[in-house]
Amino acid sequence: MKQKCRILIVEDEEPIAKMIAMNLRVASYEPWIFQDGLEACEALKEDHDYDLALLDVMLPGMDGFALFEEMKPYGIPVIFLTAKDDIGSKVQGLTGGAEDYIVKPFEVLELLVRMEKVLSRSGKTGQAEVFRDLQIDYARHMVTKNGVEISLKPMEFQLLEVLLKNRNIAISREKLLGLVWGVDFVGETRTVDVHIGQLRKKLGLGDAIKTIPKIGYRLEDA
Amino acid sequence: MKLITRMIGICCLVVFVASTAVSVAIWGITRPARMEEACVQAGQNALQTFQKLNAAISKTAYGSADDTYVEYLLKQESNPFNLCFREGRRKETVEIFNQTVFPREFLQSLDYRAWDLQSELTFAEFEWEGRSYLAFQGQLVCGAELYQLADITYVDEQMASLAVVLALVTGVVLLCTMLLLYLILKRILKPLQELNDGARQIAEGRYSQRIAVRSRDEIGQLSENFNKMASAVELRTRRLEESEHKKTLFMGNLTHELKTPMTSISGYTQTLLQVKVSEEDRVEALQYIYQECGRLERLSRKMMRLLELDQETELPLQELPVREVFARARRSCQEILRKKGLSLVCQEQGEIFRMDPDLMTDAVINLIDNAVKASKEGERIILRAGSDYIEVEDFGKGIPKEEQDKILEPFYMVDKSRSRKSGGAGLGLALTALIARIHHCRVEIESEEGKGTVIRLHFV
């Protein structure tokens, strides 16, 4: 199994930084928090082996855009996290080469999904993964259990992928519908239930995929 | 219609009327003079012919010549406009010489006037087939009547050409007037045009535009006044823009102050709802939610206070000893002072100010709070009253010069991360400034980086 992705968080608001870190840890990332732009910049000189950076724009010491410029040589993909939702800074962030721009307050799941997208774009996510007794090969769309291939329909595979990448996080049926099928309307949630049922049966994940009342499903590690 | 066109039109009309009147007058005076001249000329000719004939007839034997002789004489004159008639014995008309179409009856029917006093010559005017004639009549010594006609149409022709010339002159004068007027008006109206251009630019929103005032006349005065108006508008617009900008900034800051705790609260709530977290994380999340809720609550309380105070401009103030306020403030600040190990020294000599005790205590607490944030552990804070002031002095890090005017603005924080950790939102000093305003106090800031700060409420 690939080593955990290291995520740099530069956010001066301690509660927000801790909250992001808490979620990232649960989703099998390794978060590193800095609360000061200058401190982060100094620390990066020593150690810049990060897979992704989440930067606040308004930071003490050095603002997010300046820090972003300093970070460019290390080639770390950057997502800006800020309460400044004016178009000007959005454009500045994105034209400057940032991968994404998330406005506070944001949804945790949204942050994770966007991070996932950025990571897969920069090829930092693993091509294969092991979950319990399953080997999942994203490149070849293949799941093997103890060396035996289990045939999954394309939608079932994608559903599995979304659950795996957001493991330990409950995702609503509507969200799953949007993420896997690309539909944004309520009503067809039965489809999700059917596919979840298939996954549980085919992969033996009956206990791992938990149904969370009133919210949705959650794939749990242990 | 443009002003210049209208003015030229009016002027041209006046000039036209005037020159036409002059022309008519010239024509009216010239015509009788010319007629008279023509009349005199023709009369002299007629008189000459008359006298010549009379002389020739008198030379004959009997002093009376027969018709043939008279005819002969007239033929010699070779003037086709000479006519001669005689009355026969039976009152019939005998035509001695007539080469014209006019019969004797026609000529006799004319209205004759005496031509001059010396001669017996009479004359009359008549028109025939569009031409004007003069007819002169006289009695020859032989008893025959002699008429001489003179064509004076040339006078009318001359008058007609005079009229043409006058009309031409009038036209030329008009054209010249128009051209001159155009040039002069253009010059006069140029400042007006500039004024107009300037006014349009100002109207389009370029309030910094000014009109170059050149002339000293009414247009110059108008331009000057217009510039004054533009300055006033510019100033007012800028003030409005500034206040609008301040408001936007305030709203932006407020939004930011709201969004930050909201992000934490909503994030932790989602985490607790959706994520399988450890017991330790769960407690931490709940603690943060509680903490951030407290922050929101403090923020809204301060905002409410700001709004309330902003509306209350006239508050009943009482004469109160400053000691009371100091004591209350000290009690309120005890906890934060103790936490940081700071000592508060109160210095007053029983001063009495007109104030609202609650608000003034609030202001002092905010000032102390500010001083606490700037101070390092173990330092002193002095709360001092003078004859007309209350001040708080600290020996902390001080405020940079360029930030001193801004610290009274809502949400302004010299050191953002540090004040956040101590739970501030940057509203304390804004509140103090507002309270000072209600007490008619001036807020004075003296600060040096690294040495400390004095913030003084100066009663005026």
Side-chain angles (χ1 to χ4, degrees):
Chain A
M1 191 174 160
K2 192 196 176 274
Q3 218 185 345
K4 282 179 177 177
C5 283
R6 293 184 81 207
I7 311 293
L8 175 71
I9 301 169
V10 190
E11 163 66 69
D12 64 322
E13 288 289 338
E14 193 190 312
I16 297 179
K18 288 264 178 75
M19 185 265 290
I20 296 170
M22 191 185 284
N23 281 285
L24 293 191
R25 267 197 309 274
V26 169
S28 302
Y29 293 104
E30 190 184 331
W32 291 79
I33 298 175
F34 288 94
Q35 291 191 31
D36 183 284
L38 212 57
E39 273 171 34
C41 186
E42 291 301 317
L44 274 165
K45 282 179 188 152
E46 304 280 310
D47 172 17
H48 49 259
D49 181 25
Y50 292 101
D51 297 299
L52 181 72
L54 301 174
L55 301 187
D56 188 13
V57 174
M58 292 211 278
L59 283 172
M62 180 190 265
D63 76 51
F65 294 131
L67 179 60
F68 177 46
E69 290 303 315
E70 293 292 320
M71 281 171 61
K72 272 188 179 165
Y74 310 129
I76 303 170
V78 165
I79 295 177
F80 279 111
L81 278 184
T82 177
K84 273 176 96 180
D85 53 355
D86 57 305
I87 292 295
S89 45
K90 234 180 220 184
V91 169
Q92 193 187 344
L94 292 174
T95 52
E99 293 290 337
D100 212 337
Y101 194 105
I102 299 174
V103 175
K104 293 176 195 169
F106 49 83
E107 269 190 63
V108 176
L109 186 62
E110 183 191 356
L111 174 69
L112 289 172
V113 170
R114 290 203 193 196
M115 278 174 63
E116 188 54 51
K117 287 238 170 81
V118 172
L119 285 171
S120 72
R121 223 180 302 161
S122 55
K124 299 247 164 111
T125 42
Q127 288 299 304
E129 204 167 345
V130 177
F131 182 81
R132 295 193 181 182
D133 50 357
L134 302 169
Q135 287 85 44
I136 298 105
D137 188 334
Y138 292 118
R140 286 156 59 198
H141 269 240
M142 222 169 78
V143 183
T144 47
K145 187 173 185 175
N146 305 324
V148 183
E149 191 188 332
I150 298 166
S151 102
L152 285 182
K153 288 181 190 151
M155 284 305 165
E156 288 168 357
F157 188 85
Q158 277 188 37
L159 182 60
L160 177 67
E161 189 177 342
V162 169
L163 288 172
L164 274 170
K165 287 191 172 158
N166 299 294
R167 72 182 71 161
N168 292 322
I169 294 168
I171 310 173
S172 70
R173 293 175 175 82
E174 285 80 8
K175 261 270 150 48
L176 283 172
L177 209 55
L179 288 168
V180 177
W181 283 268
V183 232
D184 257 338
F185 58 90
V186 198
E188 292 294 321
T189 47
R190 272 295 299 158
T191 318
V192 179
D193 297 337
V194 170
H195 282 75
I196 291 281
Q198 287 295 322
L199 284 183
R200 278 179 174 150
K201 206 169 79 190
K202 285 185 183 172
L203 305 176
L205 293 173
D207 58 330
I209 302 178
K210 285 245 167 68
T211 308
I212 312 294
K214 284 186 189 158
I215 294 180
Y217 295 102
R218 179 163 72 197
L219 181 67
E220 292 187 357
D221 257 337
Chain B
M1 192 161 51
K2 279 175 86 177
L3 193 60
I4 191 163
T5 331
R6 208 182 317 165
M7 284 173 86
I8 289 177
I10 291 169
C11 288
C12 283
L13 192 71
V14 169
V15 168
F16 178 73
V17 167
S19 65
T20 310
V22 168
S23 300
V24 168
I26 289 174
W27 202 80
I29 292 165
T30 313
R31 195 183 136 84
R34 282 296 176 83
M35 282 306 268
E36 179 124 1
E37 201 181 306
C39 206
V40 168
Q41 184 81 44
Q44 269 166 1
N45 283 342
L47 192 62
Q48 221 176 337
T49 314
F50 190 68
Q51 283 169 347
K52 204 171 155 190
L53 284 175
N54 266 351
I57 294 164
S58 304
K59 270 188 205 148
T60 55
Y62 314 100
S64 63
D66 59 0
D67 294 350
T68 33
Y69 184 59
V70 174
E71 193 184 351
Y72 162 75
L73 284 174
L74 283 166
K75 267 184 187 156
Q76 287 233 301
E77 280 297 313
S78 71
N79 183 347
F81 282 144
N82 282 339
L83 297 88
C84 194
F85 305 100
R86 182 174 61 84
E87 197 162 277
R89 289 209 182 90
R90 266 164 267 144
K91 297 264 177 192
E92 84 280 17
T93 295
V94 178
E95 213 172 67
I96 301 170
F97 186 83
N98 186 5
Q99 290 179 324
T100 66
V101 294
F102 306 114
R104 188 185 175 215
E105 289 71 30
F106 171 74
L107 291 172
Q108 273 181 327
S109 71
L110 297 173
D111 179 22
Y112 287 92
R113 281 169 285 158
W115 179 65
D116 71 352
L117 296 170
Q118 284 87 46
S119 65
E120 324 151 20
L121 219 53
T122 57
F123 81 104
E125 281 172 63
F126 69 94
E127 301 255 334
W128 185 264
E129 290 178 344
R131 296 184 76 83
S132 303
Y133 294 94
L134 282 178
F136 292 89
Q137 188 210 37
Q139 201 83 33
L140 285 174
V141 283
C142 60
E145 285 169 4
L146 179 76
Y147 292 91
Q148 188 178 60
L149 304 181
D151 186 346
I152 54 159
T153 314
Y154 72 95
V155 173
D156 286 337
E157 279 165 8
Q158 276 178 354
M159 288 319 289
S161 52
L162 179 68
V164 169
V165 169
L166 283 174
L168 274 175
V169 168
T170 306
V172 169
V173 165
L174 262 180
L175 271 177
C176 289
T177 313
M178 231 184 266
L179 197 73
L180 260 170
L181 261 178
Y182 179 75
L183 292 176
I184 293 169
L185 281 176
K186 197 89 186 159
R187 238 182 105 80
I188 290 176
L189 293 181
K190 205 175 168 219
L192 202 60
Q193 183 63 45
E194 283 167 2
L195 178 64
N196 190 21
D197 289 345
R200 199 179 46 236
Q201 289 192 349
I202 292 168
E204 279 165 5
R206 267 172 282 175
Y207 298 116
S208 53
Q209 189 76 28
R210 290 289 174 278
I211 296 148
V213 189
R214 253 184 262 144
S215 49
R216 291 259 122 242
D217 55 8
E218 287 89 337
I219 294 175
Q221 287 166 14
L222 181 59
S223 309
E224 220 169 286
N225 286 329
F226 204 90
N227 279 345
K228 277 182 200 155
M229 190 186 81
S231 303
V233 169
E234 189 189 8
L235 195 71
R236 182 126 185 84
T237 317
R238 210 172 28 224
R239 282 222 189 108
L240 277 175
E241 272 167 7
E242 262 167 30
S243 115
E244 196 55 38
H245 181 68
K246 256 192 191 157
K247 250 179 224 162
T248 316
L249 216 63
F250 181 85
M251 283 312 292
N253 284 330
L254 178 62
T255 316
H256 185 259
E257 287 310 309
L258 286 173
K259 266 189 181 175
T260 315
M262 293 290 285
T263 306
S264 312
I265 293 172
S266 116
Y268 280 115
T269 318
Q270 284 171 48
T271 308
L272 289 178
L273 274 174
Q274 301 170 359
V275 181
K276 200 184 111 192
V277 288
S278 62
E279 181 59 22
E280 198 183 317
D281 279 351
R282 198 181 65 86
V283 172
E284 190 184 293
L286 285 171
Q287 271 169 351
Y288 275 122
I289 290 171
Y290 181 66
Q291 179 193 317
E292 294 301 284
C293 282
R295 193 163 132 194
L296 275 180
E297 207 248 310
R298 278 196 302 279
L299 177 69
S300 68
R301 204 170 45 218
K302 281 200 176 161
M303 281 300 304
M304 280 307 292
R305 200 99 175 98
L306 262 181
L307 287 174
E308 271 168 28
L309 288 179
D310 213 16
Q311 281 159 6
E312 267 179 69
T313 41
E314 281 310 317
L315 215 68
L317 303 178
Q318 300 161 258
E319 300 265 341
L320 280 171
V322 80
R323 181 173 296 149
E324 203 174 300
V325 171
F326 279 14
R328 283 169 68 176
R330 178 193 273 284
R331 233 173 298 141
S332 294
C333 295
Q334 229 159 23
E335 187 60 24
I336 51 167
L337 288 164
R338 196 183 51 78
K339 251 191 213 162
K340 233 177 163 180
L342 299 166
S343 57
L344 180 71
V345 182
C346 292
Q347 298 178 351
E348 44 90 28
Q349 271 92 40
E351 283 86 356
I352 289 171
F353 296 121
R354 283 183 61 78
M355 51 195 177
D356 177 279
D358 294 334
L359 287 183
M360 194 42 87
T361 310
D362 262 9
V364 171
I365 290 170
N366 280 323
L367 289 179
I368 295 174
D369 192 47
N370 197 58
V372 168
K373 282 174 193 161
S375 300
K376 286 189 286 291
E377 229 155 283
E379 280 176 346
R380 254 180 344 141
I381 293 169
I382 300 172
L383 180 54
R384 192 185 292 122
S387 58
D388 57 352
Y389 65 86
I390 295 174
E391 64 180 24
V392 175
E393 183 173 9
D394 68 64
F395 303 93
K397 56 199 300 184
I399 306 159
K401 260 246 138 22
E402 63 273 13
E403 306 202 14
Q404 285 183 13
D405 332 329
K406 299 187 213 153
I407 60 163
L408 297 181
E409 285 170 17
F411 300 116
Y412 193 84
M413 284 175 251
V414 178
D415 183 342
K416 198 181 100 178
S417 62
R418 192 199 55 199
S419 351
R420 278 284 165 64
K421 272 176 206 157
S422 34
L427 286 176
L429 284 184
L431 262 172
T432 304
L434 212 55
I435 292 169
R437 206 178 71 198
I438 291 168
H439 285 82
H440 311 289
C441 283
R442 208 170 47 237
V443 181
E444 293 165 349
I445 300 161
E446 284 168 23
S447 185
E448 205 174 322
E449 267 188 279
K451 293 220 171 141
T453 308
V454 179
I455 299 184
R456 185 177 304 125
L457 306 180
H458 202 129
F459 289 84
V460 279

